[in-house]
Short mmCIF file of all heavy atoms in Angstrom, two decimals:
data_model
loop_
_atom_site.label_atom_id
_atom_site.label_comp_id
_atom_site.label_asym_id
_atom_site.label_seq_id
_atom_site.Cartn_x
_atom_site.Cartn_y
_atom_site.Cartn_z
N GLN B 602 76.80 -127.87 -126.40
CA GLN B 602 78.25 -127.93 -126.53
C GLN B 602 78.92 -126.61 -126.12
O GLN B 602 79.99 -126.62 -125.54
CB GLN B 602 78.65 -128.25 -127.97
CG GLN B 602 78.13 -129.58 -128.44
CD GLN B 602 78.69 -130.73 -127.65
OE1 GLN B 602 79.90 -130.88 -127.54
NE2 GLN B 602 77.83 -131.55 -127.07
N ALA B 603 78.27 -125.50 -126.45
CA ALA B 603 78.85 -124.19 -126.18
C ALA B 603 77.78 -123.12 -126.37
O ALA B 603 76.69 -123.39 -126.88
CB ALA B 603 80.02 -123.91 -127.12
N VAL B 604 78.13 -121.92 -125.96
CA VAL B 604 77.27 -120.76 -126.16
C VAL B 604 78.16 -119.64 -126.70
O VAL B 604 79.28 -119.46 -126.24
CB VAL B 604 76.60 -120.31 -124.84
CG1 VAL B 604 75.83 -119.01 -125.04
CG2 VAL B 604 75.70 -121.40 -124.28
N HIS B 605 77.66 -118.94 -127.70
CA HIS B 605 78.34 -117.75 -128.22
C HIS B 605 77.46 -116.56 -127.83
O HIS B 605 76.24 -116.62 -128.01
CB HIS B 605 78.47 -117.82 -129.74
CG HIS B 605 79.36 -118.91 -130.20
ND1 HIS B 605 80.70 -118.71 -130.47
CD2 HIS B 605 79.12 -120.23 -130.44
CE1 HIS B 605 81.23 -119.85 -130.87
NE2 HIS B 605 80.30 -120.78 -130.86
N ALA B 606 78.07 -115.51 -127.29
CA ALA B 606 77.28 -114.36 -126.85
C ALA B 606 78.09 -113.07 -126.93
O ALA B 606 79.32 -113.09 -126.88
CB ALA B 606 76.80 -114.58 -125.40
N ASP B 607 77.35 -111.97 -127.04
CA ASP B 607 77.98 -110.66 -126.94
C ASP B 607 78.52 -110.50 -125.52
O ASP B 607 77.94 -111.03 -124.56
CB ASP B 607 76.97 -109.55 -127.20
CG ASP B 607 76.61 -109.40 -128.67
OD1 ASP B 607 77.50 -109.51 -129.52
OD2 ASP B 607 75.41 -109.16 -128.96
N LEU B 608 79.58 -109.73 -125.38
CA LEU B 608 80.14 -109.48 -124.06
C LEU B 608 79.42 -108.36 -123.32
O LEU B 608 79.55 -108.23 -122.11
CB LEU B 608 81.64 -109.17 -124.16
CG LEU B 608 82.51 -110.33 -124.63
CD1 LEU B 608 83.96 -109.87 -124.81
CD2 LEU B 608 82.42 -111.49 -123.65
N ALA B 609 78.66 -107.55 -124.05
CA ALA B 609 77.95 -106.43 -123.44
C ALA B 609 76.66 -106.15 -124.20
O ALA B 609 76.52 -106.55 -125.36
CB ALA B 609 78.84 -105.18 -123.45
N ASP B 610 75.72 -105.48 -123.53
CA ASP B 610 74.49 -105.07 -124.19
C ASP B 610 74.82 -104.13 -125.34
O ASP B 610 75.79 -103.36 -125.28
CB ASP B 610 73.57 -104.32 -123.21
CG ASP B 610 72.87 -105.25 -122.24
OD1 ASP B 610 73.03 -106.48 -122.37
OD2 ASP B 610 72.16 -104.75 -121.36
N ASP B 611 73.99 -104.18 -126.36
CA ASP B 611 74.09 -103.28 -127.51
C ASP B 611 75.43 -103.32 -128.21
O ASP B 611 75.92 -102.31 -128.72
CB ASP B 611 73.76 -101.84 -127.10
CG ASP B 611 72.35 -101.70 -126.58
OD1 ASP B 611 71.46 -102.39 -127.11
OD2 ASP B 611 72.14 -100.92 -125.63
N ALA B 612 76.04 -104.49 -128.27
CA ALA B 612 77.29 -104.64 -129.03
C ALA B 612 76.98 -104.45 -130.51
O ALA B 612 75.84 -104.62 -130.96
CB ALA B 612 77.88 -106.02 -128.78
N ASP B 613 77.99 -104.12 -131.25
CA ASP B 613 77.83 -103.95 -132.69
C ASP B 613 77.43 -105.29 -133.31
O ASP B 613 78.12 -106.30 -133.10
CB ASP B 613 79.15 -103.47 -133.29
CG ASP B 613 79.05 -103.10 -134.75
OD1 ASP B 613 78.26 -103.74 -135.49
OD2 ASP B 613 79.77 -102.18 -135.16
N PRO B 614 76.33 -105.35 -134.05
CA PRO B 614 75.90 -106.61 -134.64
C PRO B 614 76.88 -107.20 -135.65
O PRO B 614 76.77 -108.36 -136.02
CB PRO B 614 74.57 -106.28 -135.33
CG PRO B 614 74.24 -104.89 -135.00
CD PRO B 614 75.41 -104.26 -134.32
N ASP B 615 77.88 -106.43 -136.06
CA ASP B 615 78.91 -106.94 -136.96
C ASP B 615 80.08 -107.58 -136.20
O ASP B 615 80.94 -108.20 -136.81
CB ASP B 615 79.43 -105.83 -137.86
CG ASP B 615 78.40 -105.39 -138.87
OD1 ASP B 615 77.56 -106.22 -139.27
OD2 ASP B 615 78.41 -104.20 -139.25
N ASP B 616 80.11 -107.40 -134.87
CA ASP B 616 81.18 -107.98 -134.07
C ASP B 616 80.97 -109.49 -133.92
O ASP B 616 79.84 -109.97 -133.91
CB ASP B 616 81.23 -107.36 -132.67
CG ASP B 616 81.77 -105.94 -132.68
OD1 ASP B 616 82.32 -105.51 -133.72
OD2 ASP B 616 81.62 -105.25 -131.65
N ASP B 617 82.08 -110.21 -133.79
CA ASP B 617 82.00 -111.64 -133.50
C ASP B 617 81.51 -111.84 -132.07
O ASP B 617 81.75 -110.99 -131.20
CB ASP B 617 83.37 -112.30 -133.66
CG ASP B 617 83.78 -112.46 -135.12
OD1 ASP B 617 82.88 -112.49 -135.99
OD2 ASP B 617 84.99 -112.55 -135.38
N LEU B 618 80.85 -112.96 -131.85
CA LEU B 618 80.40 -113.32 -130.51
C LEU B 618 81.52 -114.00 -129.75
O LEU B 618 82.36 -114.68 -130.34
CB LEU B 618 79.19 -114.26 -130.59
CG LEU B 618 77.96 -113.71 -131.34
CD1 LEU B 618 76.89 -114.79 -131.42
CD2 LEU B 618 77.42 -112.48 -130.64
N ALA B 619 81.53 -113.85 -128.43
CA ALA B 619 82.49 -114.54 -127.59
C ALA B 619 82.03 -115.98 -127.37
O ALA B 619 80.83 -116.26 -127.41
CB ALA B 619 82.62 -113.83 -126.25
N TRP B 620 82.98 -116.88 -127.15
CA TRP B 620 82.67 -118.30 -126.94
C TRP B 620 82.69 -118.61 -125.46
O TRP B 620 83.57 -118.16 -124.72
CB TRP B 620 83.73 -119.15 -127.65
CG TRP B 620 83.53 -120.63 -127.50
CD1 TRP B 620 82.81 -121.43 -128.32
CD2 TRP B 620 84.08 -121.48 -126.50
NE1 TRP B 620 82.86 -122.74 -127.89
CE2 TRP B 620 83.64 -122.79 -126.76
CE3 TRP B 620 84.89 -121.27 -125.39
CZ2 TRP B 620 83.98 -123.88 -125.95
CZ3 TRP B 620 85.24 -122.35 -124.60
CH2 TRP B 620 84.78 -123.64 -124.89
N PHE B 621 81.68 -119.37 -125.01
CA PHE B 621 81.58 -119.81 -123.62
C PHE B 621 81.36 -121.32 -123.61
O PHE B 621 80.53 -121.83 -124.36
CB PHE B 621 80.40 -119.14 -122.91
CG PHE B 621 80.54 -117.65 -122.78
CD1 PHE B 621 80.10 -116.82 -123.81
CD2 PHE B 621 81.12 -117.08 -121.67
CE1 PHE B 621 80.22 -115.44 -123.71
CE2 PHE B 621 81.25 -115.70 -121.56
CZ PHE B 621 80.81 -114.88 -122.58
N ALA B 622 82.08 -122.03 -122.75
CA ALA B 622 81.85 -123.46 -122.58
C ALA B 622 80.50 -123.66 -121.90
O ALA B 622 80.01 -122.76 -121.20
CB ALA B 622 82.97 -124.06 -121.73
N ALA B 623 79.91 -124.82 -122.09
CA ALA B 623 78.62 -125.12 -121.47
C ALA B 623 78.67 -124.92 -119.95
O ALA B 623 77.69 -124.47 -119.35
CB ALA B 623 78.19 -126.54 -121.82
N GLN B 624 79.79 -125.23 -119.34
CA GLN B 624 79.93 -125.08 -117.89
C GLN B 624 79.90 -123.62 -117.43
O GLN B 624 79.71 -123.35 -116.25
CB GLN B 624 81.25 -125.70 -117.39
CG GLN B 624 81.48 -127.13 -117.75
CD GLN B 624 82.17 -127.29 -119.10
OE1 GLN B 624 81.66 -126.84 -120.13
NE2 GLN B 624 83.31 -127.95 -119.14
N GLU B 625 80.10 -122.71 -118.36
CA GLU B 625 80.13 -121.28 -118.02
C GLU B 625 78.74 -120.62 -118.10
O GLU B 625 78.62 -119.43 -117.84
CB GLU B 625 81.09 -120.55 -118.95
CG GLU B 625 82.53 -120.97 -118.78
CD GLU B 625 83.45 -120.25 -119.74
OE1 GLU B 625 83.45 -120.61 -120.93
OE2 GLU B 625 84.16 -119.32 -119.28
N ILE B 626 77.72 -121.37 -118.46
CA ILE B 626 76.38 -120.79 -118.60
C ILE B 626 75.92 -120.10 -117.32
O ILE B 626 75.40 -118.99 -117.37
CB ILE B 626 75.37 -121.82 -119.09
CG1 ILE B 626 75.68 -122.19 -120.55
CG2 ILE B 626 73.94 -121.29 -118.98
CD1 ILE B 626 74.85 -123.30 -121.09
#
Side-chain angles (χ1 to χ4, degrees):
Q602 299 297 305
V604 174
H605 294 266
D607 285 321
L608 293 175
D610 284 356
D611 298 324
D613 187 327
D615 291 330
D616 287 348
D617 286 336
L618 301 176
W620 180 90
F621 296 88
Q624 305 88 301
E625 295 179 284
I626 291 174

